[in-house]
Amino acid sequence: MRKWKSLLGVSLAGVLLLGGCGTKDGKEVNGEARDKEIKIGVTQIVEHPSLDAAYKGFKKAISANGLKNVKYDVQLAQGDPNNSQTIAKNLVGDNVDLIFANSTPSAQHALNATKDIPIVFTSVTDPVGAKLVKSFDQPGDNITGTTDTHPDAIPKTIEFIDKETDAKTVGLIYNKGEQNSVAQVDLVKDALKKSDLKPVEVSVSTSADVKQAAESLVGRADVFYIITDNTVVSALESVISVAEDKDIPMFAGELDSVKRGAFAAYGFDYYDIGYEAGEMAAKILKGDKKPSELKVQYPQKLKLVINKKAAEAMGVKLKPEWKSMAEYTE
């Protein structure tokens, strides 16, 4: 009889112990995710260093926030909007727990595909203009994220070109089919109105058009300014080759392009905005926050970086006073 009482006591203790770690709706009461697998669908419009860095930052943040049993379904659209739409529909069909949309078209297509699955975006230039969110303070019911536009980046770039170079015209190459690019070009034009500089525009549809577009600006543009256009950045080396061959300083919209050979950029690390997006996603996956409760974030850091080798290749003489303004790289 005592033996049965002893076993009963052990059994009750075990039940109480399990009860202390009770679960609700697939998550532990303390807010941490259970051991069950978490599925994150990743949709990215094209493969290039900036977007790739953002994805790395996102993954790092997910891991750093204690979410270990995570499966990523990464799908690249190869710059094709139709592919991007299909990817979004497939991820919804697979019933992923969250969609990480890395670029403006990727986020737009994801939001078109679902109003239920949480979406966290990054590398989006104008989330309001792209109709992803109502405002930075009022994201959508199932969507939020981080933007890749710092309010001061474009004005500071134009100011530098105006005051620190002899340029009179600024060559812009972009895809009019990318809403984020149109928004940036509008900002560039606004900034140019406060200077003596004039814009010279060329539009492209695919990465194969980029080199010819750059060549068409020779003799018409004193400098190139390559914004964060996915089509053009994916073929950046084509622009760099023309800039070096014709001694045309090439400014960029982000720092990864400076590493690849652009002369200079006011920018930030895409890894950082990806990491910030990952932190937002972790809060959603843990059940701590809903997308609607997380404000859209700007990049937190902005700096001027100049590539010394690119400067030499493009015929730019470095000024001593730039040392106090910029960070140099080779």
Side-chain angles (χ1 to χ4, degrees):
M1 186 68 176
R2 288 181 180 177
K3 181 178 179 181
W4 284 109
K5 287 183 178 180
S6 176
L7 289 173
L8 180 60
V10 171
S11 298
L12 287 173
V15 171
L16 290 172
L17 181 61
L18 291 172
C21 297
T23 61
K24 182 180 180 180
D25 297 331
K27 291 183 172 59
E28 292 185 3
V29 171
N30 63 7
E32 296 180 359
R34 289 182 64 189
D35 289 337
K36 79 175 188 68
E37 183 179 79
I38 298 172
K39 295 185 293 183
I40 297 179
V42 179
T43 172
Q44 184 171 311
I45 190 62
V46 72
E47 188 174 14
H48 65 63
S50 296
L51 298 183
D52 296 344
Y55 172 54
K56 289 179 182 178
F58 178 86
K59 286 186 67 178
K60 181 65 176 180
I62 292 293
S63 176
N65 277 272
L67 299 174
K68 303 300 183 183
N69 191 13
V70 180
K71 179 181 178 181
Y72 293 92
D73 183 0
V74 183
Q75 300 193 36
L76 305 175
Q78 306 301 332
D80 188 332
N82 292 324
N83 289 344
S84 182
Q85 292 177 20
T86 300
I87 289 170
K89 292 177 181 178
N90 288 342
L91 293 177
V92 172
D94 291 341
N95 196 31
V96 296
D97 296 301
L98 181 139
I99 295 175
F100 174 53
N102 197 4
S103 78
T104 298
S106 300
Q108 289 174 319
H109 296 144
L111 187 58
N112 287 338
T114 181
K115 296 296 186 290
D116 299 315
I117 296 174
I119 301 168
V120 175
F121 61 75
T122 196
S123 311
V124 170
T125 300
D126 183 11
V128 177
K131 297 182 179 180
L132 295 172
V133 298
K134 296 177 182 178
S135 71
F136 277 50
D137 292 339
Q138 293 182 304
D141 291 336
N142 72 315
I143 187 168
T144 188
T146 59
T147 175
D148 65 357
T149 296
H150 193 288
D152 297 330
I154 288 175
K156 282 184 174 292
T157 301
I158 297 303
E159 182 181 14
F160 185 92
I161 295 172
D162 188 33
K163 293 183 177 180
E164 302 294 336
T165 76
D166 296 326
K168 299 299 180 184
T169 53
V170 178
L172 302 167
I173 308 171
Y174 66 104
N175 184 347
K176 289 185 178 179
E178 290 192 28
Q179 191 279 334
N180 64 303
S181 300
V182 174
Q184 287 181 81
V185 169
D186 287 342
L187 291 173
V188 171
K189 290 179 179 178
D190 287 341
L192 288 172
K193 292 176 182 177
K194 301 176 183 178
S195 72
D196 294 326
L197 300 165
K198 301 297 180 183
V200 184
E201 304 173 46
V202 180
S203 179
V204 298
S205 298
T206 69
S207 58
D209 303 329
V210 173
K211 186 171 184 180
Q212 184 177 356
E215 291 172 339
S216 74
L217 289 173
V218 175
R220 298 194 295 147
D222 298 321
V223 301
F224 292 155
Y225 184 12
I226 304 304
I227 56 172
T228 57
D229 180 284
N230 292 304
T231 303
V232 180
V233 173
S234 66
L236 192 70
E237 284 68 25
S238 297
V239 186
I240 292 172
S241 66
V242 175
E244 292 179 346
D245 186 50
K246 301 299 181 180
D247 285 345
I248 302 174
M250 190 187 106
F251 292 80
E254 34 75 33
L255 300 184
D256 286 308
S257 289
V258 178
K259 295 177 185 176
R260 292 167 68 184
F263 161 57
Y266 276 96
F268 48 87
D269 292 324
Y270 269 68
Y271 179 94
D272 292 339
I273 62 170
Y275 191 96
E276 291 160 10
E279 290 189 312
M280 300 169 85
K283 292 176 182 178
I284 294 168
L285 290 168
K286 287 182 176 183
D288 297 336
K289 294 286 186 179
K290 297 177 181 178
S292 60
E293 298 172 331
L294 295 169
K295 297 179 181 180
V296 177
Q297 295 183 23
Y298 285 114
Q300 302 301 303
K301 303 174 183 177
L302 183 70
K303 59 184 177 181
L304 172 63
V305 177
I306 292 175
N307 186 323
K308 295 173 73 174
K309 286 185 178 180
E312 182 179 358
M314 296 173 189
V316 180
K317 184 177 180 180
L318 300 177
K319 297 182 180 180
E321 57 266 32
W322 290 353
K323 288 185 179 180
S324 62
M325 301 169 56
E327 176 183 310
Y328 285 111
T329 184
E330 296 184 10

